[in-house]
Amino acid sequence: MKCPFCNQENTRVIDSRPVPDNNSIRRRRQCDECGKRFTTYEKIETIPLTVIKKDQSREQYERRKIQDGITRACYKRPVSVERIESLMDEIETEVFNREEKEIPSALIGEIVMDKLKDLDAVAYVRFASVYREFKDVDTFMDELKKIMK
């Protein structure tokens, strides 16, 4: 591991502990050259996952895309960054536990909406309005009625 301060390759691990999500390990490292300390995270490598888009094109799964959508949906809502990270871990666990090499984006969207519904109703409606591409007010109202029941 290269030191981010001096770019030397001689660093050593001085502390390791699991991260609360139990999917990664936090490591404190110290550079043997400059003596500065820094943190790295080691995550289990998962099987490569391909997402099948609505137009049937395929692309590599990217956590960041889902996280960006959730972050936009939670904009100015009382949802912490830690809670969004935790939600992302839950979503990824559900997606990767299917042990499939390809997954439709529609299924990922449904999983996200299901999790957001429990997190924050406004964030859920925001995400659903973009994801489901509501064409008019009536379809939007139908979705609102579903969550109000």
Side-chain angles (χ1 to χ4, degrees):
M1 176 66 62
K2 280 189 175 181
C3 172
F5 304 104
C6 68
N7 286 323
Q8 293 296 316
E9 291 189 21
N10 298 330
T11 63
R12 58 190 154 99
V13 175
I14 54 175
D15 182 39
S16 290
R17 62 181 66 173
V19 176
D21 68 4
N22 287 326
N23 290 327
S24 54
I25 296 174
R26 175 184 178 271
R27 297 196 190 278
R28 286 293 292 160
R29 295 178 176 269
Q30 184 171 1
C31 177
D32 291 337
E33 199 66 34
C34 70
K36 291 191 177 178
R37 294 181 178 191
F38 58 99
T39 303
T40 60
Y41 292 88
E42 185 177 303
K43 192 165 184 139
I44 297 169
E45 189 173 25
T46 56
I47 58 169
L49 182 65
T50 302
V51 177
I52 305 169
K53 308 291 282 181
K54 288 179 185 176
D55 65 358
Q56 299 305 307
S57 64
R58 286 163 167 71
E59 64 180 47
Q60 197 71 21
Y61 169 82
E62 291 181 49
R63 177 185 173 107
R64 175 62 66 227
K65 286 188 174 185
I66 299 169
Q67 192 167 7
D68 288 347
I70 292 171
T71 302
R72 279 191 298 278
C74 293
Y75 180 68
K76 290 192 177 180
R77 298 299 303 156
V79 179
S80 68
V81 173
E82 291 81 19
R83 186 62 190 108
I84 292 173
E85 282 292 326
S86 173
L87 186 75
M88 278 303 305
D89 291 339
E90 291 173 28
I91 292 165
E92 279 195 332
T93 299
E94 192 167 330
V95 167
F96 284 104
N97 279 347
R98 293 177 176 275
E99 296 181 3
E100 297 174 9
K101 292 184 179 180
E102 293 187 333
I103 187 167
S105 63
L107 181 56
I108 295 173
E110 292 298 325
I111 292 169
V112 171
M113 285 194 301
D114 187 50
K115 301 284 185 189
L116 275 175
K117 193 181 293 184
D118 297 333
L119 178 69
D120 186 88
V122 173
Y124 166 77
V125 171
R126 286 177 177 171
F127 188 89
S129 69
V130 173
Y131 174 73
R132 292 225 169 107
E133 299 174 342
F134 295 139
K135 303 293 184 221
D136 55 33
V137 175
D138 292 332
T139 54
F140 188 74
M141 289 304 292
D142 291 341
E143 192 66 34
L144 283 176
K145 288 175 187 173
K146 284 181 196 174
I147 63 169
M148 292 179 81
K149 290 180 182 178

